[in-house]
Amino acid sequence: MSLSLRARVIADLTPRVGFPFSEQELSPSVRKSVGDLEPLYKQLDDKSTEFSRLSKQRNSLQFVTLTVGALGLIFALAGLVAWQLGIVGIIFLGCGAKFAFMTFTENTEKLKTRGSEMSKLTAAARSRLSFLSKAIYDELSAMHANRANPQAPTAVVKETVVKEVVMIPCSYCRGLMPQTSVFCPECGARRKG
């Protein structure tokens, strides 16, 4: 059973990151980046399938060409006995050569194009995998280090919460007061509304 594209991306990322991880551990933005690699993998699969099909087609064409050429050679040699067979042999050889030239040239160009496209897609995938594996490593390395060595002292991270106080003008004296105040600190009047 073949892996899904997403599972293949994760499988390719894991050795690059350096430790196993699950997709659920990733932040939403990194998870999205993993998903963005799926179309690239799909394109690479499509090009690879087409390249394989063209290679098989070329092998079939080689077999047909060799068969026609061999028949032509046999008839050409038989032309030493009867000149009519020699003419048939020359016709076979000519057709085989024309067939080989037309089909091999077209097939070879298609194979070169698909090979070039596959190389570009592979390079793009490797580049994106490297960038993404660094992001995953940076995001998850501390957590995995704690799992690997639970006795190690953990760094305490302090979080400072900054609250913003919105100031509004007093309806009576126009002095500024916090929006949450009931009374104006300037004139002492009760806030309206």
Side-chain angles (χ1 to χ4, degrees):
M1 181 177 183
S2 67
L3 294 173
S4 71
L5 291 175
R6 196 167 197 95
R8 282 178 45 209
V9 171
I10 297 291
D12 288 348
L13 281 168
T14 301
R16 292 172 183 266
V17 172
F19 51 80
F21 63 93
S22 68
E23 190 175 351
Q24 290 74 25
E25 296 173 315
L26 302 175
S27 66
S29 63
V30 173
R31 234 180 281 154
K32 181 185 178 310
S33 296
V34 169
D36 291 344
L37 275 171
E38 289 181 73
L40 189 62
Y41 273 55
K42 174 77 171 112
Q43 285 179 329
L44 196 53
D45 285 350
D46 292 345
K47 297 293 180 194
S48 178
T49 301
E50 189 174 353
F51 187 83
S52 177
R53 182 186 59 79
L54 287 170
S55 293
K56 288 178 183 175
Q57 184 181 19
R58 184 178 66 182
N59 291 341
S60 297
L61 294 174
Q62 285 175 336
F63 177 75
V64 169
T65 302
L66 289 175
T67 303
V68 170
L71 284 173
L73 189 60
I74 290 171
F75 277 104
L77 290 175
L80 296 174
V81 175
W83 65 272
Q84 295 89 352
L85 293 177
I87 292 174
V88 171
I90 291 171
I91 291 172
F92 267 114
L93 286 173
C95 289
K98 184 175 180 181
F99 179 76
F101 178 75
M102 288 173 30
T103 54
F104 284 141
T105 303
E106 180 182 337
N107 190 276
T108 303
E109 287 303 314
K110 286 181 183 178
L111 279 171
K112 284 180 184 176
T113 302
R114 295 307 170 269
S116 174
E117 290 169 352
M118 286 173 53
S119 295
K120 289 176 185 175
L121 287 171
T122 301
R126 284 184 182 149
S127 172
R128 289 175 68 183
L129 283 170
S130 294
F131 176 78
L132 192 54
S133 63
K134 181 176 178 351
I136 293 170
Y137 179 83
D138 292 345
E139 190 173 283
L140 300 178
S141 61
M143 180 175 50
H144 280 273
N146 289 339
R147 283 187 194 163
N149 191 4
Q151 302 302 331
T154 57
V156 177
V157 178
K158 292 185 179 183
E159 184 176 312
T160 304
V161 177
V162 177
K163 292 184 179 181
E164 186 175 314
V165 177
V166 177
M167 303 296 277
I168 59 171
C170 174
S171 300
Y172 299 101
C173 71
R174 305 305 294 163
L176 292 179
M177 64 183 203
Q179 184 179 12
T180 57
S181 293
V182 178
F183 297 99
C184 176
E186 298 291 325
C187 68
R190 186 174 186 91
R191 181 175 153 209
K192 287 186 181 180

